[in-house]
Amino acid sequence: DTAVSQTPKYLVTQMGNDKSIKCEQNLGHDTMYWYKQDSKKFLKIMFSYNNKELIINETVPNRFSPKSPDKAHLNLHINSLELGDSAVYFCASSSRGRYNSPLHFGNGTRLTVT
Amino acid sequence: DAKTTQPPSMDCAEGRAANLPCNHSTISGNEYVYWYRQIHSQGPQYIIHGLKNNETNEMASLIITEDRKSSTLILPHATLRDTAVYYCIVRSLTGANSKLTFGKGITLSVRP
């Protein structure tokens, strides 16, 4: 059973297009994240949602808009795609009870902007 | 910014123990030491975490020095599938803004 699943696995698109990446977790977690891994392999947090509420918003262009329809889903919509958006995007989830549980990551969506 | 420092790379022979060091001299009292790894083309995988006591699970052991300024992740019998980038991270276990901040990690190469 896949714990954190992302779709699509690969996404190739042209500059200026709008695209979405979907993420779903079946772990019963209440917190979800988006991370970006660039060509230099640095993993950086972009957003975090807890119970559908945005709690972490790093310095990310407004073209990126996360949407959490429910606790099990966190989608990432990107407007007006640029070449620099090419990267691997990872979704993750955790539980924020008394203590924060470890994060579980999906296997990533490789976005290529041409 | 990452609050840990790790050597860029190391290797070990298959079947031998792999000891991966990490320095976290500025760790706070409420911060835990986490280890994750990323195998090529996959998402980061949680390995283990600890506060001040040594910890062991089915994947690895974590040894934290008494002053908590450094730690060592031990893979007792490394296999070729353990070749990956290993990240040592300090993170508060509580707080809504607790973030998992990745550094450069250490690339472990397990040789046959």
Side-chain angles (χ1 to χ4, degrees):
Chain A
D1 291 341
T2 303
V4 181
S5 59
Q6 301 178 224
T7 54
K9 186 174 175 65
Y10 299 97
L11 183 54
V12 181
T13 188
Q14 293 182 330
M15 287 175 53
N17 285 347
D18 303 338
K19 290 294 179 184
S20 292
I21 305 172
K22 296 185 176 181
C23 178
E24 176 181 6
Q25 55 93 6
N26 62 5
L27 296 167
H29 289 163
D30 57 7
T31 305
M32 297 185 72
Y33 311 78
W34 277 109
Y35 278 78
K36 177 182 179 180
Q37 187 167 39
D38 59 24
S39 57
K40 296 183 179 180
K41 303 299 185 182
F42 291 120
L43 266 163
K44 294 184 179 179
I45 189 169
M46 301 172 68
F47 303 102
S48 173
Y49 270 74
N50 174 251
N51 284 320
K52 302 196 299 177
E53 179 184 354
L54 181 65
I55 56 173
I56 294 176
N57 186 351
E58 295 296 290
T59 307
V60 178
N62 291 336
R63 300 181 294 102
F64 290 78
S65 55
K67 287 183 171 57
S68 182
D70 55 56
K71 288 195 303 183
H73 296 84
L74 181 62
N75 303 323
L76 184 65
H77 189 76
I78 314 171
N79 290 326
S80 303
L81 278 156
E82 301 177 357
L83 292 176
D85 297 332
S86 295
V88 182
Y89 293 84
F90 290 98
C91 177
S93 71
S94 70
S95 178
R96 192 181 298 280
R98 181 180 178 188
Y99 300 109
N100 299 321
S101 74
L103 272 64
H104 292 257
F105 285 82
N107 278 325
T109 295
R110 182 174 295 277
L111 171 65
T112 302
V113 182
T114 62
Chain B
D1 292 334
K3 297 171 65 175
T4 64
T5 56
Q6 302 174 254
S9 64
M10 68 175 291
D11 64 19
C12 75
E14 188 177 19
R16 303 298 294 270
N19 298 311
L20 285 70
C22 179
N23 287 323
H24 31 80
S25 58
T26 61
I27 191 170
S28 302
N30 67 339
E31 289 180 322
Y32 283 63
V33 180
Y34 279 78
W35 282 83
Y36 279 76
R37 73 180 182 183
Q38 187 173 23
I39 297 170
H40 181 63
S41 298
Q42 297 182 19
Q45 177 188 23
Y46 165 76
I47 300 173
I48 198 167
H49 73 283
L51 181 63
K52 55 183 178 181
N53 297 321
N54 298 338
E55 301 287 346
T56 296
N57 62 20
E58 65 278 4
M59 290 183 69
S61 294
L62 174 60
I63 308 298
I64 302 174
T65 58
E66 192 169 344
D67 63 7
R68 303 211 320 124
K69 293 185 177 182
S70 65
S71 61
T72 302
L73 179 75
I74 301 173
L75 307 178
H77 305 287
T79 70
L80 297 179
R81 288 175 295 180
D82 291 322
T83 293
V85 179
Y86 287 77
Y87 297 95
C88 170
I89 303 167
V90 295
R91 178 196 183 205
S92 172
L93 206 59
T94 59
N97 293 328
S98 172
K99 293 187 289 188
L100 203 66
T101 302
F102 288 81
K104 297 180 181 180
I106 178 172
T107 298
L108 172 67
S109 300
V110 180
R111 60 180 188 276

